[in-house]
Amino acid sequence: MSGGVDSAVAAARAVEAGHDVVGVHLALSRAGGTLRAGSRGCCTIEDALDARRAADLLGIPFYVWDFSERFRDDVIADFVAEYQAGRTPNPCMRCNEKIKFAALLERALELGFDAVCTGHYALLVDGLDGRELHRASDAAKDQSYVLGVLTADQLAHTYFPLGDTPSKALVRAEAAERGLTVAQKPDSHDICFIPDGDTRGWLAGKVGAQRGDILDRTGAVVGTHEGAHAFTVGQRRGLSIGIPAADGKPRFVLEVRPVSNTVVVGPKEALATREISGIRVTWTGAPPAAEEFGCHVQIRAHSDPVAARARCAASGVTVVPEVPFDGVAPGQTAVLYLGTRVLGQFTVDTTVPAVAAGV
């Protein structure tokens, strides 16, 4: 129970369905703030109190489990290391993989529970080959992308009561009808451990600021920066470019080079990516039987899926989209779908631009 409306309603539905439910709030920081900044951040003391009030109303036991050390090691340290390596990580993906459906589920099973129930918007379908993960009924709230890291074993012990709800408005209305005080609580956005939203400043405090050059695709210096870690592929704002492009058009980050502490910028069309390859591959069920197959690929939590061909090998997965992706950064997660079903995911390791440098 995060302290939000979704997990509170999920718990209520689990109780109503006749399950023996225990509410658990995860303490992910030992120095968390006491209040949110609007809709920014989560896992605060305020959230813990909101979760407790919901559990009390539902008449279920409530506990706070301290996972702050694992969160620090598996999510925050990974986030910093990825940026230092010039990659763009997804901390929500790592949290689901390492904390909510690994550390939490492991402890729950050890204590004799059957499953972890959350307020995620996704559907679980019992197929011929086992449980399948599918998109939620509400496309606007679908969270199957960030759940793409789950394995078949984890899905077998997971419960998503909100997956077939047509809209978030109905969830809020149900919460109000049940008397839950979080009915109109804002959704959390941004990175929970950076509640002020200043990722660049937060990273600078972790890895330090180091002045470097901003280059165009010819290698000419067009500006300077205070640390390559603060940039990601596709970024347009905050580039501090002193020399405008010859055509007057805006420039975007095309590449981050942490070893030389340089950032390469160029026109928007240079972001087009015709092929991506990845590592850290996981499947939500059995791996695909064919080495090459058609699918749809989603590279961001809220981006549209793109039709593609995927090739599996011992070294990882390669994806060739029918239409080039619009800017993909190493470190991003690519989730593979067959219709509404999630097949699996991988971490993008290499990208191939659709337009050669200088063209």
Side-chain angles (χ1 to χ4, degrees):
M1 301 183 72
S2 67
V5 62
D6 294 327
S7 59
V9 172
R13 290 185 181 184
V15 170
E16 197 169 71
H19 298 292
D20 184 7
V21 180
V22 171
V24 173
H25 181 80
L26 302 184
L28 302 180
S29 172
R30 294 186 178 180
T34 57
L35 293 173
R36 286 167 168 249
S39 61
R40 293 185 182 274
C42 68
C43 312
T44 64
I45 294 173
E46 179 191 30
D47 291 322
L49 293 175
D50 285 341
R52 180 179 294 278
R53 281 190 284 267
D56 289 344
L57 180 68
L58 298 174
I60 61 175
F62 178 80
Y63 299 94
V64 175
W65 288 358
D66 183 2
F67 282 174
S68 57
E69 289 189 10
R70 288 196 62 165
F71 186 77
R72 178 197 63 203
D73 295 342
D74 292 339
V75 179
I76 298 179
D78 175 80
F79 182 81
V80 174
E82 287 291 279
Y83 264 104
Q84 286 179 303
R87 295 187 289 265
T88 302
N90 186 321
C92 295
M93 194 75 76
R94 294 286 81 78
C95 185
N96 282 335
E97 177 186 16
K98 300 292 187 179
I99 306 299
K100 294 178 182 175
F101 297 95
L104 174 61
L105 181 56
E106 289 166 8
R107 182 178 294 184
L109 294 177
E110 288 173 357
L111 292 173
F113 293 98
D114 298 312
V116 165
C117 168
T118 76
H120 285 96
Y121 288 78
L123 283 170
L124 292 171
V125 176
D126 290 325
L128 296 176
D129 299 320
R131 183 165 287 185
E132 300 173 353
L133 176 64
H134 286 254
R135 291 191 184 278
S137 298
D138 181 3
K141 292 298 296 181
D142 173 55
Q143 293 176 297
S144 60
Y145 173 86
V146 295
L147 298 169
V149 291
L150 301 189
T151 65
D153 288 343
Q154 290 169 331
L155 290 176
H157 298 282
T158 299
Y159 181 28
F160 299 135
L162 305 188
D164 59 356
T165 306
S167 74
K168 178 64 174 275
L170 292 176
V171 172
R172 291 194 181 280
E174 180 179 335
E177 187 176 330
R178 292 179 181 274
L180 294 165
T181 59
V182 292
Q184 298 305 319
K185 186 175 180 178
D187 292 340
S188 61
H189 298 289
D190 300 309
I191 301 169
C192 68
F193 52 87
I194 311 178
D196 64 0
D198 183 12
T199 302
R200 177 180 294 193
W202 187 89
L203 284 168
K206 295 293 182 180
V207 304
Q210 183 180 357
R211 184 178 293 272
D213 292 330
I214 299 176
L215 312 176
D216 65 15
R217 290 191 293 169
T218 70
V221 177
V222 296
T224 60
H225 62 77
E226 297 299 326
H229 59 266
F231 298 87
T232 185
V233 171
Q235 181 177 332
R236 174 185 173 184
R237 300 185 184 279
L239 300 185
S240 301
I241 297 175
I243 302 175
D247 59 7
K249 294 182 179 180
R251 285 181 282 201
F252 299 77
V253 174
L254 304 181
E255 188 179 353
V256 178
R257 299 172 179 172
V259 175
S260 60
N261 193 34
T262 54
V263 176
V264 180
V265 298
K268 182 174 177 57
E269 55 266 26
L271 288 170
T273 304
R274 64 178 175 85
E275 181 178 299
I276 60 175
S277 296
I279 55 176
R280 293 169 67 171
V281 183
T282 61
W283 304 103
T284 57
E291 290 185 1
E292 183 173 334
F293 55 93
C295 61
H296 279 77
V297 180
Q298 191 169 326
I299 57 172
R300 297 179 183 88
H302 302 294
S303 66
D304 293 328
V306 176
R309 298 292 297 178
R311 297 193 304 270
C312 300
S315 58
V317 175
T318 297
V319 167
V320 178
E322 290 185 2
V323 177
F325 294 116
D326 183 16
V328 184
Q332 284 183 230
T333 300
V335 176
L336 281 59
Y337 289 83
L338 188 62
T340 62
R341 182 185 177 183
V342 177
L343 298 177
Q345 63 81 42
F346 62 86
T347 300
V348 176
D349 186 47
T350 58
T351 64
V352 179
V355 179
V359 176

